[in-house]
Amino acid sequence: MKFRPCIDIHNGKVKQIVGASLKDAGDMAAENFVAEKSAADYAELYRKHGLKGGHVIVLNGKDSSYYEETKDQAFSALSAYPGGLQAGGGITPENAAQFLEAGASHVIVTSYVFQGGQILKENLNKLTKAVGKERLVLDVSCKKKADGYYIVTDRWQKETDIRITSALLEKLSDFCDEFLIHAVDVEGKRNGMEEELLGKLAKWQGIPITYAGGVQSLDDLRKLQEVGAGKIDVTIGSALSIFGGTLDFGEAVSYCRKLSKNLG
């Protein structure tokens, strides 16, 4: 289990928000933390700790008056840690190259591929052709319904009819290098993980998966290692000390490395 860092940027600031609270209208979100440091400062911290494969997410839509400022922050982070971070937020075949040229190792995509309750195979093919399977991460962040977990898009604001199954992951893995999965119902709430979701993900054998949502303690990391059988990487946001939380950043990084070493 690898520790994957994050940099979420909203209205030009590095923030930690309650995932389900994000609204494009008025550029609103319930905030857990607003950083004084820049996105590049966080990228430099992650570089010093040798943490790769984290994500930088642009949380403003392209129609937002904050979009360019937020994107500039993202680009500064990618430039500070070339090849060390992935980038997401409104990625299309037309703009993906900009993020890769700025230093992203991969681009992360949701809404361009999952629309209207469907997987747009044509769009998925366009993306794969534009950036290559090896540089594409599919964000299959989800919310729970009675019969399973369903993908949400447009910065977690739109629910789809696409249920996460082993068959779906197998199908999508032909087009991407990794999956990023936020458990949106618990994202930013610091009150526990979606263990049922983790159990389902652990049964699938395939490309890397990074989970985010509700991790708040070293004990949660231990549980994630056990439930995920060491096959699922982790992102922690609001609970970390660097984002105003109580879980020490250095301890979390060291503990993940210890767990991975013990498993090996």
Side-chain angles (χ1 to χ4, degrees):
M1 180 177 71
K2 297 178 182 177
F3 183 98
R4 304 283 197 112
C6 64
I7 305 174
D8 295 338
I9 311 169
H10 183 246
N11 295 357
K13 300 286 186 180
V14 175
K15 294 183 181 180
Q16 286 295 313
I17 68 169
V18 178
S21 73
L22 187 63
K23 304 294 181 186
D24 283 346
D27 294 305
M28 300 296 292
E31 300 169 346
N32 285 327
F33 176 80
V34 181
E36 294 182 3
K37 294 182 178 180
S38 70
D41 290 331
Y42 283 97
E44 180 63 19
L45 173 67
Y46 302 152
R47 187 190 65 78
K48 287 181 179 178
H49 281 266
L51 299 170
K52 289 190 173 183
H55 54 269
V56 180
I57 304 295
V58 174
L59 290 176
N60 290 101
K62 291 182 180 179
D63 294 333
S64 168
S65 60
Y66 291 99
Y67 176 75
E68 290 300 326
E69 183 181 359
T70 298
K71 187 177 76 169
D72 287 346
Q73 280 275 0
F75 277 26
S76 71
L78 297 173
S79 297
Y81 192 8
L85 296 165
Q86 304 167 356
I91 301 293
T92 68
E94 289 72 33
N95 67 9
Q98 298 176 24
F99 289 86
L100 295 173
E101 290 168 3
S105 65
H106 298 66
V107 290
I108 305 167
V109 179
T110 308
S111 303
Y112 184 76
V113 170
F114 306 107
Q115 296 181 29
Q118 302 179 59
I119 300 172
L120 300 185
K121 185 73 173 293
E122 181 180 353
N123 285 7
L124 188 52
N125 284 325
K126 286 180 181 178
L127 274 167
T128 306
K129 184 177 181 181
V131 304
K133 176 185 185 296
E134 71 281 358
R135 303 194 77 178
L136 179 61
V137 175
L138 288 180
D139 183 336
V140 288
S141 295
C142 58
K143 297 187 73 173
K144 187 177 182 180
K145 295 184 181 180
D147 61 339
Y149 291 87
Y150 286 76
I151 294 174
V152 291
T153 67
D154 296 271
R155 296 164 298 284
W156 309 324
Q157 295 168 88
K158 292 184 179 179
E159 298 182 11
T160 74
D161 297 324
I162 305 169
R163 185 163 63 95
I164 295 179
T165 64
S166 294
L168 175 69
L169 296 179
E170 187 67 34
K171 177 181 178 181
L172 294 175
S173 66
D174 289 337
F175 300 91
C176 64
D177 197 44
E178 298 181 7
F179 294 117
L180 172 64
I181 304 181
H182 290 82
V184 175
D185 291 320
V186 297
E187 172 68 18
K189 295 182 179 179
R190 293 177 287 190
N191 61 359
M193 304 176 292
E194 283 278 10
E195 292 188 34
E196 181 182 345
L197 173 62
L198 288 168
K200 291 178 182 294
L201 296 175
K203 293 178 182 177
W204 183 71
Q205 303 284 337
I207 62 176
I209 292 176
T210 298
Y211 167 86
V215 178
Q216 60 180 336
S217 66
L218 296 182
D219 190 54
D220 279 339
L221 291 174
R222 180 189 58 78
K223 288 180 182 178
L224 197 156
Q225 177 82 339
E226 291 176 355
V227 175
K231 296 182 290 187
I232 300 173
D233 293 341
V234 64
T235 286
I236 312 172
S238 299
L240 282 181
S241 57
I242 58 172
F243 297 125
T246 58
L247 178 56
D248 184 79
F249 168 74
E251 287 186 7
V253 172
S254 296
Y255 193 62
C256 284
R257 287 174 172 156
K258 178 182 178 181
L259 289 172
S260 297
K261 183 178 180 180
N262 289 344
L263 185 68

